[in-house]
Amino acid sequence: MSLSIPFVYHASYSQLALPSTHRFPTTKYHNLYQHALKQQLLFEQYRHTPTPISKDTLYTVHCPQYVEQFINGALDHKAQRRIGFPWSQELVTRTLHAVNGTRLCAELALDHGIAVHLTGGYHHAHYDFGSGFCIFNDLVIAARSAIDSGRADKVLIFDCDVHQGDGTATLTQGNPDIISCSIHCAQNFPSRKQQSDHDIALDKGCTDKQYLEHIQQILPYLIRIHQPDLIIYDAGVDIHQHDDLGYFSISNLGILARDKQVISIAKMHGIPLAAVIGGGYSRSEAELTIRHSQLLVAANELWASQY
């Protein structure tokens, strides 16, 4: 088995033209990809490129009418505004590739023990509407696909983005084979929280020590009671103390320690881990790249000895 990390990336992830005042950092995916290759955290020969996801696969999780309206640019202004992006063909291309990228990442994790997707974590997407820069819920789609293909009986979505995965919560309610866990800031978006299978709401100003203690307690507990065949890990870095949209006080070292914890715990229990980079917002492209790269540093450090 190769000791290099299989990863998923498509050029369309950063090919989205937005107004200069828009707070969404479209460049971060390409920047992370280039940084990872330069620092030899990832290697081009282990890159997997997704195709656009099929409508039929989207229909397994989302309302067909909503799917058609988004793809054809027929959503009304209110619905498009709730998503947070102006509609464009580039947005459709990016979305279809990115959502399928997480599904592919899950397949690779089941094959190799671990895999990383250089985007993903669209946890605010609900059955028939998008929200908070999320159009289709790649986490739930990937989980559903792994189960429907017979490769997993139960999947744990372990969401460490600073914002609650409200779309994931609503989409997995009543689905005992997909377990949703969201560790988030209680006082952050969305204002109206939904009910995940497990919600850990932490207060503003949460420190490295407090945060890591929760991770160390909750993930082994979830594995013990649910015994998942796959973990889909949203490694959002908007928990960082200087994130534009986060209210925690987590350092770069805290992010690295979290990612090491999650990877180590998954391996210790012999559970494949599919990681997506999740949210992260900063006007400094260089700082954002470093924050997201902690996941890759952690995976490399633990890869040879653990998988």
Side-chain angles (χ1 to χ4, degrees), residues 28 32 115-117 119-123 138-139 157-162 183 211 215 231-240 243 255-256 258-260 262-263 273-280 288 290-296 298:
K28 75 175 184 177
L32 179 61
V116 175
H117 188 201
T119 187
Y122 309 130
H123 58 175
D138 61 316
L139 305 173
I157 297 175
F158 191 64
D159 188 345
C160 291
D161 191 282
V162 79
I183 303 176
Y211 188 83
I215 299 290
I231 297 172
I232 299 177
Y233 171 41
D234 186 340
V237 301
D238 41 14
I239 63 170
H240 193 271
D243 189 86
I255 291 173
L256 178 61
R258 175 200 67 179
D259 293 341
K260 285 183 179 179
V262 172
I263 294 170
L273 182 79
V276 303
I277 68 167
L288 193 53
I290 293 301
R291 293 171 201 171
H292 279 300
S293 70
Q294 301 309 303
L295 173 65
L296 307 178

Side-chain angles (χ1 to χ4, degrees), residues 14 28 56 65 112 125 138 151 170 173 195 217 220 252 273-274 283:
S14 285
K28 75 175 184 177
D56 285 344
Q65 182 181 11
H112 301 282
D138 61 316
R151 301 202 64 188
T170 61
Q173 285 170 0
Q195 187 172 350
Q217 290 174 5
N252 281 350
L273 182 79
R283 293 296 179 184

Side-chain angles (χ1 to χ4, degrees), residues 40-95:
Q40 296 189 318
L41 297 169
L42 298 173
F43 295 90
E44 184 66 28
Q45 60 264 44
Y46 299 102
R47 169 185 170 185
H48 297 257
T49 305
T51 57
I53 197 160
S54 70
K55 290 181 182 179
D56 285 344
T57 303
L58 292 174
Y59 296 163
T60 64
V61 170
H62 288 285
C63 170
Q65 182 181 11
Y66 168 60
V67 171
E68 293 293 334
Q69 286 178 334
F70 169 72
I71 290 174
N72 296 317
L75 290 175
D76 62 33
H77 176 72
K78 183 179 178 182
Q80 198 67 47
R81 185 177 178 184
R82 188 170 191 176
I83 289 171
F85 293 131
W87 187 90
S88 66
Q89 192 57 56
E90 289 77 17
L91 178 61
V92 174
T93 299
R94 176 189 184 277
T95 299

Side-chain angles (χ1 to χ4, degrees), residues 7-301:
F7 72 102
V8 180
Y9 175 76
H10 192 275
S12 66
Y13 297 170
S14 285
Q15 292 172 346
L16 181 62
L18 295 172
S20 59
T21 55
H22 202 288
R23 68 200 324 177
F24 191 83
T26 56
T27 57
K28 75 175 184 177
Y29 310 106
H30 177 74
N31 292 344
L32 179 61
Y33 169 64
Q34 293 291 341
H35 174 82
L37 295 180
K38 184 177 180 180
Q39 298 299 317
Q40 296 189 318
L41 297 169
L42 298 173
F43 295 90
E44 184 66 28
Q45 60 264 44
Y46 299 102
R47 169 185 170 185
H48 297 257
T49 305
T51 57
I53 197 160
S54 70
K55 290 181 182 179
D56 285 344
T57 303
L58 292 174
Y59 296 163
T60 64
V61 170
H62 288 285
C63 170
Q65 182 181 11
Y66 168 60
V67 171
E68 293 293 334
Q69 286 178 334
F70 169 72
I71 290 174
N72 296 317
L75 290 175
D76 62 33
H77 176 72
K78 183 179 178 182
Q80 198 67 47
R81 185 177 178 184
R82 188 170 191 176
I83 289 171
F85 293 131
W87 187 90
S88 66
Q89 192 57 56
E90 289 77 17
L91 178 61
V92 174
T93 299
R94 176 189 184 277
T95 299
L96 298 182
H97 284 87
V99 171
N100 207 30
T102 299
R103 188 197 60 78
L104 176 57
C105 182
E107 287 186 357
L108 291 167
L110 288 163
D111 289 338
H112 301 282
I114 191 171
V116 175
H117 188 201
L118 300 189
T119 187
Y122 309 130
H123 58 175
H124 300 309
H126 294 252
Y127 174 68
D128 56 359
F129 67 92
S131 174
F133 308 140
C134 302
I135 297 158
F136 301 128
N137 197 306
D138 61 316
L139 305 173
V140 178
I141 288 168
R144 184 80 267 149
S145 180
I147 293 166
D148 290 347
S149 68
R151 301 202 64 188
D153 292 325
K154 188 174 287 189
V155 177
L156 168 63
I157 297 175
F158 191 64
D159 188 345
C160 291
D161 191 282
V162 79
H163 306 105
Q164 195 216 24
D166 57 329
T168 303
T170 61
L171 286 169
T172 57
Q173 285 170 0
N175 287 328
D177 49 0
I178 303 177
I179 308 302
S180 60
C181 175
S182 179
I183 303 176
H184 55 267
C185 179
Q187 296 86 8
N188 209 324
F189 179 89
S191 57
R192 182 182 298 173
K193 305 293 191 289
Q194 301 297 328
Q195 187 172 350
S196 310
D197 291 306
H198 302 273
D199 282 302
I200 296 86
L202 306 177
D203 289 328
K204 284 184 179 181
C206 180
T207 63
D208 287 5
K209 184 175 184 293
Q210 295 167 330
Y211 188 83
L212 295 170
E213 285 175 352
H214 279 90
I215 299 290
Q216 191 62 45
Q217 290 174 5
I218 189 66
L219 185 53
Y221 168 76
L222 294 175
I223 290 171
R224 185 169 65 252
I225 64 170
H226 295 295
Q227 300 185 0
D229 304 299
L230 170 68
I231 297 172
I232 299 177
Y233 171 41
D234 186 340
V237 301
D238 41 14
I239 63 170
H240 193 271
Q241 57 195 346
H242 299 311
D243 189 86
D244 290 349
L245 300 181
Y247 301 136
F248 283 166
S249 297
I250 310 297
S251 67
N252 281 350
L253 287 176
I255 291 173
L256 178 61
R258 175 200 67 179
D259 293 341
K260 285 183 179 179
Q261 274 187 333
V262 172
I263 294 170
S264 296
I265 292 168
K267 170 55 182 103
M268 184 170 65
H269 291 86
I271 303 171
L273 182 79
V276 303
I277 68 167
Y281 306 89
S282 176
R283 293 296 179 184
S284 171
E285 295 184 357
E287 288 184 13
L288 193 53
T289 296
I290 293 301
R291 293 171 201 171
H292 279 300
S293 70
Q294 301 309 303
L295 173 65
L296 307 178
V297 172
N300 273 278
E301 188 168 320

